[in-house]
Short mmCIF file of all heavy atoms in Angstrom, two decimals:
data_model
loop_
_atom_site.label_atom_id
_atom_site.label_comp_id
_atom_site.label_asym_id
_atom_site.label_seq_id
_atom_site.Cartn_x
_atom_site.Cartn_y
_atom_site.Cartn_z
N ILE C 9 191.74 201.75 252.53
CA ILE C 9 192.63 200.70 252.03
C ILE C 9 192.12 199.33 252.47
O ILE C 9 192.07 198.39 251.69
CB ILE C 9 194.08 200.93 252.50
CG1 ILE C 9 194.63 202.20 251.86
CG2 ILE C 9 194.96 199.74 252.17
CD1 ILE C 9 195.95 202.68 252.43
N TRP C 10 191.71 199.23 253.75
CA TRP C 10 191.14 197.97 254.24
C TRP C 10 189.91 197.58 253.43
O TRP C 10 189.74 196.43 253.05
CB TRP C 10 190.77 198.07 255.72
CG TRP C 10 191.85 197.63 256.64
CD1 TRP C 10 192.52 198.38 257.54
CD2 TRP C 10 192.38 196.30 256.78
NE1 TRP C 10 193.44 197.62 258.22
CE2 TRP C 10 193.37 196.34 257.77
CE3 TRP C 10 192.12 195.09 256.16
CZ2 TRP C 10 194.11 195.22 258.15
CZ3 TRP C 10 192.84 193.97 256.53
CH2 TRP C 10 193.82 194.04 257.51
N LEU C 14 189.73 194.16 251.33
CA LEU C 14 188.77 193.11 251.68
C LEU C 14 187.85 192.77 250.51
O LEU C 14 187.34 191.65 250.43
CB LEU C 14 187.96 193.52 252.91
CG LEU C 14 188.78 193.59 254.21
CD1 LEU C 14 187.95 194.20 255.33
CD2 LEU C 14 189.33 192.24 254.60
N GLU C 24 200.49 195.58 250.50
CA GLU C 24 201.76 196.24 250.82
C GLU C 24 201.54 197.53 251.61
O GLU C 24 202.27 197.81 252.57
CB GLU C 24 202.53 196.53 249.54
CG GLU C 24 203.90 197.12 249.79
CD GLU C 24 204.67 197.35 248.50
OE1 GLU C 24 204.54 196.54 247.57
OE2 GLU C 24 205.38 198.37 248.44
N MET C 28 202.98 198.22 255.35
CA MET C 28 203.82 199.39 255.67
C MET C 28 203.19 200.23 256.78
O MET C 28 203.90 200.83 257.58
CB MET C 28 204.06 200.24 254.41
CG MET C 28 204.84 199.51 253.33
SD MET C 28 206.36 198.74 253.93
CE MET C 28 207.31 200.15 254.38
N TYR C 30 201.45 199.03 259.33
CA TYR C 30 201.54 198.35 260.62
C TYR C 30 202.95 197.93 261.03
O TYR C 30 203.15 197.48 262.17
CB TYR C 30 200.61 197.13 260.62
CG TYR C 30 199.16 197.51 260.59
CD1 TYR C 30 198.39 197.31 259.45
CD2 TYR C 30 198.55 198.12 261.67
CE1 TYR C 30 197.06 197.67 259.41
CE2 TYR C 30 197.22 198.51 261.64
CZ TYR C 30 196.49 198.27 260.51
OH TYR C 30 195.16 198.65 260.47
N VAL C 31 203.94 198.08 260.17
CA VAL C 31 205.33 197.72 260.53
C VAL C 31 205.80 198.45 261.79
O VAL C 31 206.41 197.82 262.66
CB VAL C 31 206.28 197.95 259.34
CG1 VAL C 31 207.73 197.95 259.78
CG2 VAL C 31 206.06 196.88 258.29
N LEU C 33 204.17 199.29 264.36
CA LEU C 33 203.54 198.63 265.50
C LEU C 33 204.28 197.33 265.84
O LEU C 33 204.50 197.03 267.01
CB LEU C 33 202.07 198.35 265.19
CG LEU C 33 201.24 197.71 266.29
CD1 LEU C 33 201.23 198.59 267.54
CD2 LEU C 33 199.82 197.46 265.80
N VAL C 34 204.67 196.58 264.83
CA VAL C 34 205.44 195.35 265.06
C VAL C 34 206.75 195.67 265.76
O VAL C 34 207.14 194.99 266.71
CB VAL C 34 205.70 194.61 263.72
CG1 VAL C 34 206.68 193.46 263.92
CG2 VAL C 34 204.40 194.12 263.12
N ILE C 43 212.35 193.01 276.65
CA ILE C 43 212.61 193.19 278.08
C ILE C 43 212.54 191.86 278.83
O ILE C 43 213.34 191.60 279.72
CB ILE C 43 211.62 194.21 278.68
CG1 ILE C 43 211.85 195.58 278.05
CG2 ILE C 43 211.74 194.27 280.19
CD1 ILE C 43 210.76 196.58 278.35
N LEU C 45 212.72 188.71 277.46
CA LEU C 45 213.31 187.58 276.77
C LEU C 45 214.80 187.46 277.07
O LEU C 45 215.45 188.45 277.41
CB LEU C 45 213.09 187.72 275.26
CG LEU C 45 211.64 187.67 274.80
CD1 LEU C 45 211.55 187.98 273.31
CD2 LEU C 45 211.04 186.31 275.09
N ASN C 57 209.96 187.65 262.84
CA ASN C 57 208.83 186.77 263.16
C ASN C 57 207.54 187.56 263.32
O ASN C 57 206.47 187.08 262.95
CB ASN C 57 209.13 185.96 264.43
CG ASN C 57 210.08 184.82 264.14
OD1 ASN C 57 209.74 183.92 263.39
ND2 ASN C 57 211.26 184.87 264.71
N GLU C 72 183.94 190.77 259.12
CA GLU C 72 182.56 190.46 259.51
C GLU C 72 182.42 190.16 261.00
O GLU C 72 181.32 190.13 261.52
CB GLU C 72 182.04 189.29 258.68
CG GLU C 72 181.86 189.66 257.22
CD GLU C 72 181.36 188.51 256.38
OE1 GLU C 72 180.99 187.47 256.94
OE2 GLU C 72 181.34 188.67 255.15
N LYS C 73 183.52 189.97 261.69
CA LYS C 73 183.48 189.72 263.13
C LYS C 73 183.37 191.02 263.93
O LYS C 73 183.37 190.99 265.15
CB LYS C 73 184.69 188.91 263.57
CG LYS C 73 184.66 187.51 263.00
CD LYS C 73 185.74 186.66 263.55
CE LYS C 73 185.62 185.26 262.95
NZ LYS C 73 186.66 184.38 263.43
N PHE C 77 191.22 195.70 263.29
CA PHE C 77 192.43 194.93 263.07
C PHE C 77 193.45 195.18 264.16
O PHE C 77 194.12 194.26 264.62
CB PHE C 77 193.03 195.23 261.70
CG PHE C 77 194.27 194.44 261.42
CD1 PHE C 77 194.19 193.12 261.02
CD2 PHE C 77 195.53 195.02 261.56
CE1 PHE C 77 195.33 192.38 260.79
CE2 PHE C 77 196.68 194.29 261.31
CZ PHE C 77 196.58 192.97 260.93
#
Side-chain angles (χ1 to χ4, degrees):
I9 294 169
W10 267 115
L14 292 172
E24 184 178 324
M28 297 309 294
Y30 292 109
V31 164
L33 182 59
V34 171
I43 296 168
L45 296 174
N57 284 296
E72 292 179 9
K73 293 187 178 179
F77 181 79

